[in-house]
Amino acid sequence: MSGVVVQVGSNVHNIPVGSKVAVNPALDDQHYDMEPCTTCAIGKRNIHKRFASYGLSAPGGGFATGIVAMALNCIVLPDAVSLQVGALLGPLAVAWHCIRTSGFKNGQKKSLAKELGADVVVDSLEGSEPSNPALSAVHQAALESGNLPAHKMITSVVPLEDVVKKGFHALMHSNVSHVNILVQPRSCVGEVS
């Protein structure tokens, strides 16, 4: 999910009001002022026993018209990255993690993609190992330069009130091949994702 910051807490100094941000929905021990458990300490926060998420086990979420999120969950987006592309950072981070941990070496991914029928294979991030897959400097540069045309992965944007018909039904019954359907939580001026 992504949005524009409309207010910040008194202890937040690194995210100005008006900033475009992507919100990582994951909540773990650090969000509850607890000592990190073993899985959090080794960076596997997504599988720890107290895992929670905005929109699932905590208030807010991508379908809300607004949420209160902790600053540590907000990733400020560069000017060249739209809110719609910002909403894709979660899925992109998951895909990047899968590729990074797959055991494939550089060149093998291209070879496999061609073997599976790809006409053209572009790996603008080849050789990079980002420490923060959500938006590392490498990903930021790729998004800003257009080498990672994430906007092309957005095949539709639908208002929340039409998500069943134009979202779920479109995915299940349409002849159109969708990659990502973004849900807009309300009608408004400007972009909301």
Side-chain angles (χ1 to χ4, degrees):
M1 69 186 121
S2 64
V4 176
V5 176
V6 296
Q7 185 177 355
V8 296
S10 60
N11 291 329
V12 177
H13 306 290
N14 60 337
I15 304 174
V17 170
S19 297
K20 295 184 303 181
V21 295
V23 179
N24 176 351
L27 304 170
D28 57 41
D29 291 338
Q30 64 183 335
H31 293 84
Y32 303 106
D33 294 324
M34 300 174 74
E35 288 297 316
C37 66
T38 304
T39 55
C40 287
I42 61 171
K44 296 185 182 272
R45 294 177 176 93
N46 60 315
I47 60 169
H48 81 103
K49 62 184 175 184
R50 289 180 292 273
F51 177 82
S53 175
Y54 290 120
L56 180 61
S57 45
F63 292 156
T65 56
I67 68 165
V68 176
M70 295 183 79
L72 61 96
N73 288 73
C74 296
I75 302 160
V76 177
L77 298 172
D79 290 339
V81 177
S82 71
L83 286 173
Q84 288 184 342
V85 170
L88 292 180
L89 288 185
L92 288 172
V94 170
W96 181 254
H97 175 74
C98 291
I99 291 169
R100 195 170 47 88
T101 60
S102 68
F104 284 110
K105 305 292 181 223
N106 286 338
Q108 286 180 309
K109 291 175 265 187
K110 288 182 184 179
S111 175
L112 179 61
K114 287 179 183 176
E115 186 179 316
L116 293 173
D119 294 324
V120 177
V121 180
V122 177
D123 187 355
S124 62
L125 305 176
E126 188 171 288
S128 62
E129 282 295 327
S131 58
N132 177 0
L135 189 61
S136 69
V138 171
H139 290 97
Q140 180 175 328
L143 286 169
E144 288 178 329
S145 69
N147 288 335
L148 181 61
H151 65 281
K152 291 183 179 181
M153 292 183 240
I154 302 168
T155 51
S156 184
V157 178
V158 300
L160 180 58
E161 56 270 14
D162 294 335
V163 73
V164 172
K165 182 178 180 185
K166 294 181 179 177
F168 298 127
H169 288 174
L171 287 170
M172 295 184 302
H173 306 296
S174 174
N175 291 334
V176 176
S177 179
H178 286 287
V179 178
N180 280 288
I181 296 177
L182 297 185
V183 178
Q184 186 170 333
R186 62 186 164 121
S187 298
C188 64
V189 176
E191 297 180 272
V192 175
S193 298

